[in-house]
Amino acid sequence: MAPPAEPEQRPHLGGQAVIEGVMMRNGERVVVAVRRPKSGEIVIQEIRPFQAWRKLSKIPFLRGVYNLFEILVLGIKALNLSANLALEEGEAEKFGPLEFSISLILALGIAVGGFFILPLWLTNLFASRSSGMLFAFLEGLIRIAIFLIYLWGITLLRDIRRVLEYHGAEHKSIHTFEHGEELTVENAKQYGTRHPRCGTSFLLLVAVIAILVFSLVGNPPLPWKVLSRILLLPVIAGFSYEALLFSGRHANSRWLRPLIAPGLWLQRLTTREPDENQLEVALAAVKAVL
């Protein structure tokens, strides 16, 4: 057997909590591990990542746009798959291609409408004549406020709280792998539920970088502002993704810690401490993806 890779040589795993399980990714390999509620069996199934325009995933800044869309598609696939895998044998599947398409359209609509168009409209109601810099700043504050209210609101839902526990299990299992530990529940317990490369941190970066980018637009009439928010989304996604990668590589840097800290604090809302059964599922996903 080959010796284990040094920590800096280890691949960067990524994941997502799903219904009663975890999606885990290592490069082109993506798996979903789910525990069936009645039998307790852990079911693992591989899903194919987005294949079109794959070369874009290697180009700085463009890869942020590509990966953001791919993560959205993979995430919905994984959620729908986990809902079906959580069923016991003999139960009919709940989610198919039609449900996936509807979920994707709704997710895009909520993301663009709820987190970009709605803050713009609210800001325009009260600060339509302000300077471009002030307008972008106020719009950014409203966007972050909506984001925080949304996160806080979903934590009140019982089913979502269980997904947040799997989110914590996902982070703990990745920490265990990245520290070169044996992938056991006991080893995973010692690590925290927060991780610098988490998607929560990415969304906060998007909100902050959007303030800087939109301030360059000035304060034109509302239709032009709406158009600019849509057209500049790829630019914001590209810069945010590069910033997230950089912060992940230098998470232990003393000067960078204060900049990473808000994203880690925010993960207190989006993660919960998992139990041993949930850690077992997350570790099974890591083992399968490796």
Side-chain angles (χ1 to χ4, degrees), residues 16 22 33 41 80 85 96 143 167 170 179 193 202 216 218 277:
Q16 175 183 308
V22 168
E41 173 191 8
N80 290 349
L85 289 178
R143 181 174 295 108
H167 191 189
E170 173 220 328
H179 284 82
T193 60
F202 173 76
L216 301 177
N277 288 332

Side-chain angles (χ1 to χ4, degrees), residues 28-220:
E28 298 299 305
R29 185 168 173 79
V30 185
V31 303
V32 175
V34 170
R35 188 185 294 278
R36 285 184 168 151
K38 293 181 182 178
S39 66
E41 173 191 8
I42 297 178
V43 185
I44 298 174
Q45 187 167 325
E46 186 170 357
I47 58 178
R48 294 186 60 177
F50 192 63
Q51 295 297 320
W53 309 306
R54 173 59 60 183
K55 291 182 180 179
L56 294 179
S57 66
K58 307 297 182 183
I59 303 173
F61 297 101
L62 289 181
R63 63 189 175 188
V65 183
Y66 178 89
N67 286 330
L68 181 61
F69 181 75
E70 184 183 47
I71 289 169
L72 178 63
V73 173
L74 274 179
I76 294 173
K77 276 187 178 180
L79 282 169
N80 290 349
L81 177 60
S82 67
N84 289 330
L85 289 178
L87 300 172
E88 299 296 333
E89 290 187 13
E91 293 182 313
E93 288 192 353
K94 296 180 179 180
F95 295 93
L98 177 60
E99 289 78 9
F100 167 76
S101 300
I102 294 173
S103 300
L104 181 60
I105 293 170
L106 286 175
L108 286 170
I110 291 172
V112 176
F115 296 113
F116 283 90
I117 305 304
L118 178 60
L120 171 63
W121 178 73
L122 291 174
T123 309
N124 201 68
L125 282 179
F126 304 105
S128 60
R129 298 189 179 185
S130 61
S131 66
M133 180 68 74
L134 178 60
F135 189 96
F137 178 73
L138 294 175
E139 180 189 353
L141 289 182
I142 293 175
R143 181 174 295 108
I144 292 173
I146 291 174
F147 180 48
L148 293 176
I149 292 170
Y150 168 78
L151 290 181
W152 174 78
I154 63 174
T155 62
L156 301 179
L157 303 175
R158 181 178 177 181
D159 290 341
I160 295 297
R161 286 201 297 269
R162 187 148 179 84
V163 173
L164 300 183
E165 290 169 0
Y166 273 107
H167 191 189
E170 173 220 328
H171 285 180
K172 282 175 172 280
S173 65
I174 291 177
H175 278 305
T176 307
F177 168 75
E178 290 177 338
H179 284 82
E181 300 269 9
E182 184 181 356
L183 297 175
T184 65
V185 170
E186 289 305 314
N187 286 337
K189 281 182 179 179
Q190 65 183 308
Y191 294 105
T193 60
R194 290 174 281 175
H195 196 284
R197 293 199 315 273
C198 177
T200 306
S201 298
F202 173 76
L203 292 175
L204 184 59
L205 277 171
V206 167
V208 173
I209 290 176
I211 296 175
L212 302 176
V213 174
F214 292 154
S215 66
L216 301 177
V217 176
N219 191 3

Side-chain angles (χ1 to χ4, degrees), residues 12 16 26 98 177 242 250:
H12 283 170
Q16 175 183 308
N26 175 19
L98 177 60
F177 168 75
E242 297 302 320
H250 303 87

